[in-house]
Amino acid sequence: MTDGSWVVVVPAKPFAAAKTRCTGLDVSERRALARAMLLDVVGGLTRARRVRAVVVAATDPEVVGAALSCGAVVAGTTRGPDLNREVLDALTVAREALPDARLAVAMADLAGARPADFDAALAAAGSHSRAIVSDADGTGTTMVTLTVPGEFRPFLGPGSRCRFLADGYHDLPVAAPGLRRDVDTVSHLLALGLDSLGGATRSWSGSPVSTAGRPGAGPGLGGAARAAREP
């Protein structure tokens, strides 16, 4: 595929309902973390050479505002809060607007993904009509690529990798660690390390790389690190 061939859809829950598995963070921290990761994902995608446009699938006003602020287009849905339906509607909007583009879906919590990671995955996907990038745990999916919206299957969620593979999607062997780690828990975030995070998520952390996780560190990742170590 040539540069700028892809439209990438990013589904985003309302920030207030996101990251509920990040125990050790209070509601306001989880909300701010979800926003920061969305900004980093959209920002990384807009800087990727192979991405022509980014479409955030959301209806929540706070999410919509954040998405628009970093250069994404927003596609809502009238069919209720269902992640897979929102993605399908956004893919359909993207195809209608740019009929010659290839389509992809990327998760909104890839806090360590860089533009080069997205470019590597999309380059590898160019020779496959349908493909996925598996997560670091080997059970989920962090990116889906396809040719037309009708090829999308409602498999996003726990155990999605096996369902996509059974449906004929190709598993891309991409060496992009940041793209394979979607952040569902504090442990996932700590495993990435502050120096691997996008700028907005680093700012959320409340402490510089050199002091992350030390006693007395500020809110965000420093506080999460202490909470994760407590019995």
PDB file of all heavy atoms in Angstrom, residues 71-89:
ATOM      1  N   GLY A  71      -7.372  16.455  16.008  1.00  0.00           N
ATOM      2  CA  GLY A  71      -7.361  16.264  14.569  1.00  0.00           C
ATOM      3  C   GLY A  71      -8.151  15.099  14.029  1.00  0.00           C
ATOM      4  O   GLY A  71      -8.049  14.788  12.840  1.00  0.00           O
ATOM      5  N   ALA A  72      -8.955  14.442  14.851  1.00  0.00           N
ATOM      6  CA  ALA A  72      -9.756  13.314  14.364  1.00  0.00           C
ATOM      7  C   ALA A  72     -11.115  13.802  13.857  1.00  0.00           C
ATOM      8  O   ALA A  72     -11.588  14.879  14.217  1.00  0.00           O
ATOM      9  CB  ALA A  72      -9.971  12.287  15.466  1.00  0.00           C
ATOM     10  N   VAL A  73     -11.733  12.984  13.024  1.00  0.00           N
ATOM     11  CA  VAL A  73     -13.137  13.136  12.656  1.00  0.00           C
ATOM     12  C   VAL A  73     -13.928  12.273  13.632  1.00  0.00           C
ATOM     13  O   VAL A  73     -13.426  11.258  14.126  1.00  0.00           O
ATOM     14  CB  VAL A  73     -13.369  12.669  11.207  1.00  0.00           C
ATOM     15  CG1 VAL A  73     -14.834  12.730  10.832  1.00  0.00           C
ATOM     16  CG2 VAL A  73     -12.524  13.496  10.247  1.00  0.00           C
ATOM     17  N   VAL A  74     -15.157  12.642  13.936  1.00  0.00           N
ATOM     18  CA  VAL A  74     -15.976  11.871  14.864  1.00  0.00           C
ATOM     19  C   VAL A  74     -17.189  11.313  14.140  1.00  0.00           C
ATOM     20  O   VAL A  74     -17.850  12.018  13.367  1.00  0.00           O
ATOM     21  CB  VAL A  74     -16.431  12.741  16.053  1.00  0.00           C
ATOM     22  CG1 VAL A  74     -17.388  11.962  16.948  1.00  0.00           C
ATOM     23  CG2 VAL A  74     -15.226  13.214  16.860  1.00  0.00           C
ATOM     24  N   ALA A  75     -17.475  10.049  14.371  1.00  0.00           N
ATOM     25  CA  ALA A  75     -18.661   9.393  13.817  1.00  0.00           C
ATOM     26  C   ALA A  75     -19.439   8.782  14.968  1.00  0.00           C
ATOM     27  O   ALA A  75     -18.949   7.882  15.648  1.00  0.00           O
ATOM     28  CB  ALA A  75     -18.272   8.319  12.809  1.00  0.00           C
ATOM     29  N   GLY A  76     -20.635   9.278  15.208  1.00  0.00           N
ATOM     30  CA  GLY A  76     -21.471   8.737  16.264  1.00  0.00           C
ATOM     31  C   GLY A  76     -22.390   7.658  15.723  1.00  0.00           C
ATOM     32  O   GLY A  76     -22.316   7.253  14.563  1.00  0.00           O
ATOM     33  N   THR A  77     -23.270   7.167  16.579  1.00  0.00           N
ATOM     34  CA  THR A  77     -24.232   6.154  16.178  1.00  0.00           C
ATOM     35  C   THR A  77     -25.539   6.400  16.909  1.00  0.00           C
ATOM     36  O   THR A  77     -25.544   6.976  18.001  1.00  0.00           O
ATOM     37  CB  THR A  77     -23.728   4.732  16.478  1.00  0.00           C
ATOM     38  OG1 THR A  77     -24.682   3.765  16.031  1.00  0.00           O
ATOM     39  CG2 THR A  77     -23.487   4.532  17.968  1.00  0.00           C
ATOM     40  N   THR A  78     -26.629   5.977  16.320  1.00  0.00           N
ATOM     41  CA  THR A  78     -27.938   6.102  16.968  1.00  0.00           C
ATOM     42  C   THR A  78     -28.435   4.752  17.466  1.00  0.00           C
ATOM     43  O   THR A  78     -29.574   4.636  17.887  1.00  0.00           O
ATOM     44  CB  THR A  78     -28.960   6.675  15.971  1.00  0.00           C
ATOM     45  OG1 THR A  78     -29.059   5.798  14.824  1.00  0.00           O
ATOM     46  CG2 THR A  78     -28.542   8.055  15.505  1.00  0.00           C
ATOM     47  N   ARG A  79     -27.545   3.750  17.443  1.00  0.00           N
ATOM     48  CA  ARG A  79     -27.989   2.396  17.763  1.00  0.00           C
ATOM     49  C   ARG A  79     -27.618   1.959  19.174  1.00  0.00           C
ATOM     50  O   ARG A  79     -27.591   0.771  19.473  1.00  0.00           O
ATOM     51  CB  ARG A  79     -27.411   1.425  16.734  1.00  0.00           C
ATOM     52  CG  ARG A  79     -27.946   1.692  15.347  1.00  0.00           C
ATOM     53  CD  ARG A  79     -27.720   0.521  14.435  1.00  0.00           C
ATOM     54  NE  ARG A  79     -26.348   0.422  13.975  1.00  0.00           N
ATOM     55  CZ  ARG A  79     -25.885  -0.584  13.229  1.00  0.00           C
ATOM     56  NH1 ARG A  79     -26.690  -1.580  12.903  1.00  0.00           N
ATOM     57  NH2 ARG A  79     -24.640  -0.587  12.820  1.00  0.00           N
ATOM     58  N   GLY A  80     -27.315   2.915  20.047  1.00  0.00           N
ATOM     59  CA  GLY A  80     -27.052   2.566  21.430  1.00  0.00           C
ATOM     60  C   GLY A  80     -25.588   2.273  21.692  1.00  0.00           C
ATOM     61  O   GLY A  80     -24.786   2.119  20.772  1.00  0.00           O
ATOM     62  N   PRO A  81     -25.205   2.212  22.993  1.00  0.00           N
ATOM     63  CA  PRO A  81     -23.808   2.033  23.380  1.00  0.00           C
ATOM     64  C   PRO A  81     -23.330   0.594  23.197  1.00  0.00           C
ATOM     65  O   PRO A  81     -23.369  -0.214  24.119  1.00  0.00           O
ATOM     66  CB  PRO A  81     -23.809   2.441  24.859  1.00  0.00           C
ATOM     67  CG  PRO A  81     -25.195   2.105  25.333  1.00  0.00           C
ATOM     68  CD  PRO A  81     -26.102   2.348  24.145  1.00  0.00           C
ATOM     69  N   ASP A  82     -22.905   0.265  22.006  1.00  0.00           N
ATOM     70  CA  ASP A  82     -22.372  -1.061  21.697  1.00  0.00           C
ATOM     71  C   ASP A  82     -21.107  -0.880  20.877  1.00  0.00           C
ATOM     72  O   ASP A  82     -21.150  -0.325  19.780  1.00  0.00           O
ATOM     73  CB  ASP A  82     -23.397  -1.883  20.918  1.00  0.00           C
ATOM     74  CG  ASP A  82     -22.880  -3.277  20.584  1.00  0.00           C
ATOM     75  OD1 ASP A  82     -22.081  -3.393  19.633  1.00  0.00           O
ATOM     76  OD2 ASP A  82     -23.271  -4.236  21.270  1.00  0.00           O
ATOM     77  N   LEU A  83     -19.981  -1.333  21.403  1.00  0.00           N
ATOM     78  CA  LEU A  83     -18.682  -1.079  20.782  1.00  0.00           C
ATOM     79  C   LEU A  83     -18.631  -1.558  19.344  1.00  0.00           C
ATOM     80  O   LEU A  83     -18.208  -0.831  18.443  1.00  0.00           O
ATOM     81  CB  LEU A  83     -17.586  -1.763  21.602  1.00  0.00           C
ATOM     82  CG  LEU A  83     -16.146  -1.574  21.121  1.00  0.00           C
ATOM     83  CD1 LEU A  83     -15.707  -0.133  21.326  1.00  0.00           C
ATOM     84  CD2 LEU A  83     -15.206  -2.519  21.872  1.00  0.00           C
ATOM     85  N   ASN A  84     -19.084  -2.759  19.096  1.00  0.00           N
ATOM     86  CA  ASN A  84     -18.997  -3.313  17.752  1.00  0.00           C
ATOM     87  C   ASN A  84     -19.913  -2.585  16.771  1.00  0.00           C
ATOM     88  O   ASN A  84     -19.539  -2.360  15.616  1.00  0.00           O
ATOM     89  CB  ASN A  84     -19.330  -4.808  17.789  1.00  0.00           C
ATOM     90  CG  ASN A  84     -18.232  -5.630  18.441  1.00  0.00           C
ATOM     91  OD1 ASN A  84     -17.172  -5.836  17.871  1.00  0.00           O
ATOM     92  ND2 ASN A  84     -18.473  -6.085  19.661  1.00  0.00           N
ATOM     93  N   ARG A  85     -21.093  -2.190  17.202  1.00  0.00           N
ATOM     94  CA  ARG A  85     -21.989  -1.426  16.331  1.00  0.00           C
ATOM     95  C   ARG A  85     -21.411  -0.052  16.018  1.00  0.00           C
ATOM     96  O   ARG A  85     -21.507   0.444  14.892  1.00  0.00           O
ATOM     97  CB  ARG A  85     -23.354  -1.277  16.993  1.00  0.00           C
ATOM     98  CG  ARG A  85     -24.184  -2.550  16.998  1.00  0.00           C
ATOM     99  CD  ARG A  85     -25.536  -2.298  17.625  1.00  0.00           C
ATOM    100  NE  ARG A  85     -26.382  -3.479  17.588  1.00  0.00           N
ATOM    101  CZ  ARG A  85     -27.608  -3.545  18.105  1.00  0.00           C
ATOM    102  NH1 ARG A  85     -28.118  -2.475  18.706  1.00  0.00           N
ATOM    103  NH2 ARG A  85     -28.311  -4.650  18.025  1.00  0.00           N
ATOM    104  N   GLU A  86     -20.825   0.583  17.037  1.00  0.00           N
ATOM    105  CA  GLU A  86     -20.211   1.890  16.826  1.00  0.00           C
ATOM    106  C   GLU A  86     -19.085   1.796  15.803  1.00  0.00           C
ATOM    107  O   GLU A  86     -18.929   2.679  14.943  1.00  0.00           O
ATOM    108  CB  GLU A  86     -19.695   2.445  18.146  1.00  0.00           C
ATOM    109  CG  GLU A  86     -20.805   2.841  19.113  1.00  0.00           C
ATOM    110  CD  GLU A  86     -20.283   3.258  20.466  1.00  0.00           C
ATOM    111  OE1 GLU A  86     -19.042   3.271  20.642  1.00  0.00           O
ATOM    112  OE2 GLU A  86     -21.093   3.573  21.354  1.00  0.00           O
ATOM    113  N   VAL A  87     -18.298   0.741  15.887  1.00  0.00           N
ATOM    114  CA  VAL A  87     -17.200   0.551  14.937  1.00  0.00           C
ATOM    115  C   VAL A  87     -17.750   0.360  13.527  1.00  0.00           C
ATOM    116  O   VAL A  87     -17.262   0.973  12.568  1.00  0.00           O
ATOM    117  CB  VAL A  87     -16.323  -0.652  15.349  1.00  0.00           C
ATOM    118  CG1 VAL A  87     -15.370  -1.034  14.222  1.00  0.00           C
ATOM    119  CG2 VAL A  87     -15.541  -0.322  16.607  1.00  0.00           C
ATOM    120  N   LEU A  88     -18.752  -0.488  13.378  1.00  0.00           N
ATOM    121  CA  LEU A  88     -19.317  -0.737  12.051  1.00  0.00           C
ATOM    122  C   LEU A  88     -19.893   0.541  11.446  1.00  0.00           C
ATOM    123  O   LEU A  88     -19.687   0.832  10.259  1.00  0.00           O
ATOM    124  CB  LEU A  88     -20.389  -1.820  12.124  1.00  0.00           C
ATOM    125  CG  LEU A  88     -21.061  -2.185  10.796  1.00  0.00           C
ATOM    126  CD1 LEU A  88     -20.035  -2.629   9.760  1.00  0.00           C
ATOM    127  CD2 LEU A  88     -22.102  -3.285  11.008  1.00  0.00           C
ATOM    128  N   ASP A  89     -20.592   1.323  12.240  1.00  0.00           N
ATOM    129  CA  ASP A  89     -21.144   2.581  11.739  1.00  0.00           C
ATOM    130  C   ASP A  89     -20.026   3.528  11.304  1.00  0.00           C
ATOM    131  O   ASP A  89     -20.120   4.189  10.257  1.00  0.00           O
ATOM    132  CB  ASP A  89     -22.003   3.254  12.810  1.00  0.00           C
ATOM    133  CG  ASP A  89     -23.350   2.568  12.978  1.00  0.00           C
ATOM    134  OD1 ASP A  89     -23.681   1.680  12.171  1.00  0.00           O
ATOM    135  OD2 ASP A  89     -24.078   2.921  13.937  1.00  0.00           O
TER     136      ASP A  89
END
